[in-house]
Amino acid sequence: MDERQLRVLRELGELGSITAVAEALHVTPSAISQQLRLLQRSIPVPLTERAGRRVVLTDAGRALAVAAIEVESALARARHTVTDFVEQPDGEVSVAAFHSAASAFFPLLLRGLAGAGHPRPALSDEDVAQDRFPALTRDHDLVLAHRLDHAPPWPRTVIALTLLREPLDVALPADHPLASEPRLSPQDVADQPWITVHDGFPLMATIEAIASAANRRLDIVHRINEFAVVAEVVAAGGGLALMPRWTTRPHPDVVLRPLSGVQALRHVDVLHRPERTARKAVRTVLAELHRAAGTIRARDTGAPRPDTGSPGGP
């Protein structure tokens, strides 16, 4: 049995004829008869009987019609509960991010959503290989993910919006001979020891592009994913590294220099399943992430902080 069949039974008990029920529900009498037949298949006793030319409810039918009122009431309450949940402005919203994005975005997100009436972010760090980010949308409302500018797009099972297209610079000690150069080429840096991320993470593709452009294999001496640790190792003379320009904290003993000759950009994208943004709270957090991205870009460009969210925000 389903809700439509129970409603037909209830209306038949109240209105007294199939024709009257059909007029009330704006369908044909044959459609009403079909719903009654479908309902009868799941019930072991007769629900209707003939009274002259009319079809009326039996005692069992009347009992089930009364129960149908309770079912409709419960379903109405459930629908109102869902509506209230969807429109709730201050519900919890789970946000996951890889480490450097978490360091840059999470403080801005918490400050932007502070106070009563705002969503409550539940934050989580997730340092995974690129192909594992979409799966995180199963457990989190919003997922900050990274991919290189020329990498394949995210699967169509998730919605992806770009927050930043962030340059990747060469990090080197402040006293390194190359630190005085305004821009570096693959040939400039190919003979240096290198600190890179682990295999499977997007930055490795740019490392490989540097090696290809310089026509030599790079000497990879350390593999470290956390950029704060990378900066310390670079400062200590452990090698050069690729580091994102905006989402890593400056280190007093490390300088960043732009890289020419290869495509050195990464996307910082926010991923979510389509149904997640049905919630007002999630849309509010998504808009705040776009505002935070504007703030992060402005640190480099000197542009004013935007005061409006992205299109599609709440």
Side-chain angles (χ1 to χ4, degrees):
M1 69 181 72
D2 65 24
E3 181 185 2
R4 291 174 302 171
Q5 296 162 4
L6 289 174
R7 186 178 183 193
V8 165
L9 192 72
R10 174 187 176 183
E11 297 295 343
L12 181 59
E14 293 183 3
L15 298 175
S17 74
I18 289 178
T19 301
V21 174
E23 291 176 354
L25 299 183
H26 307 290
V27 296
T28 64
S30 62
I32 296 300
S33 297
Q34 182 183 24
Q35 291 297 320
L36 290 172
R37 287 194 297 271
L38 291 173
L39 177 60
Q40 183 64 72
R41 290 178 185 177
S42 63
I43 305 298
V45 296
L47 298 174
T48 62
E49 61 185 3
R50 284 281 177 182
R53 300 179 62 182
R54 296 169 51 236
V55 173
V56 298
L57 299 184
T58 62
D59 290 343
R62 284 189 291 272
L64 187 55
V66 171
I69 297 174
E70 298 177 7
V71 171
E72 284 202 77
S73 298
L75 289 172
R77 289 193 298 271
R79 283 190 286 268
H80 286 310
T81 298
V82 171
T83 300
D84 290 344
F85 172 73
V86 166
E87 294 302 320
Q88 184 179 1
D90 57 352
E92 182 176 282
V93 177
S94 58
V95 183
F98 61 96
H99 289 156
S100 58
S103 178
F105 279 89
F106 283 179
L108 294 172
L109 195 61
L110 290 172
R111 294 186 187 110
L113 297 173
H118 289 97
R120 302 185 305 279
L123 307 177
S124 175
D125 66 324
E126 294 285 356
D127 186 34
V128 300
Q130 179 175 332
D131 60 359
R132 292 177 57 197
F133 278 112
L136 295 178
T137 61
R138 181 181 299 110
D139 300 317
H140 302 280
D141 293 311
L142 300 169
V143 175
L144 271 65
H146 52 72
R147 70 177 182 89
L148 292 185
D149 196 44
H150 55 277
W154 300 108
R156 297 172 70 178
T157 54
V158 299
I159 303 297
L161 301 170
T162 297
L163 297 174
L164 296 172
R165 292 182 73 245
E166 183 176 27
L168 301 172
D169 295 330
V170 177
L172 58 165
D175 58 358
H176 193 282
L178 293 174
S180 60
E181 299 294 330
R183 181 175 290 272
L184 300 173
S185 70
Q187 290 73 21
D188 294 330
V189 299
D191 61 348
Q192 300 289 316
W194 276 85
I195 308 156
T196 72
V197 295
H198 294 277
D199 288 333
F201 289 80
L203 263 65
M204 277 306 300
T206 304
I207 293 292
E208 293 162 0
I210 293 172
S212 178
N215 198 28
R216 62 174 296 172
R217 178 176 297 180
L218 299 188
D219 179 20
I220 298 175
V221 294
H222 307 293
R223 288 189 180 267
I224 303 169
N225 276 20
E226 174 51 60
F227 286 122
V229 180
V230 171
E232 295 294 342
V233 175
V234 170
L240 307 188
L242 279 180
M243 295 186 70
R245 183 178 299 175
W246 300 328
T247 56
T248 53
R249 293 183 178 179
H251 190 290
D253 300 319
V254 173
V255 298
L256 300 181
R257 292 293 178 261
L259 183 64
S260 61
V262 297
Q263 193 172 18
L265 283 171
R266 75 169 182 180
H267 285 220
V268 178
D269 295 335
V270 56
L271 312 182
H272 64 83
R273 294 192 171 192
E275 67 272 16
R276 300 285 186 163
T277 49
R279 293 177 56 205
K280 183 175 182 178
V282 174
R283 298 196 303 272
T284 299
V285 173
L286 187 57
E288 193 61 38
L289 285 171
H290 280 278
R291 279 190 284 268
T295 297
I296 292 167
R297 285 192 300 269
R299 292 171 180 169
D300 179 65
T301 63
R305 173 176 178 167
D307 56 8
T308 59
S310 64

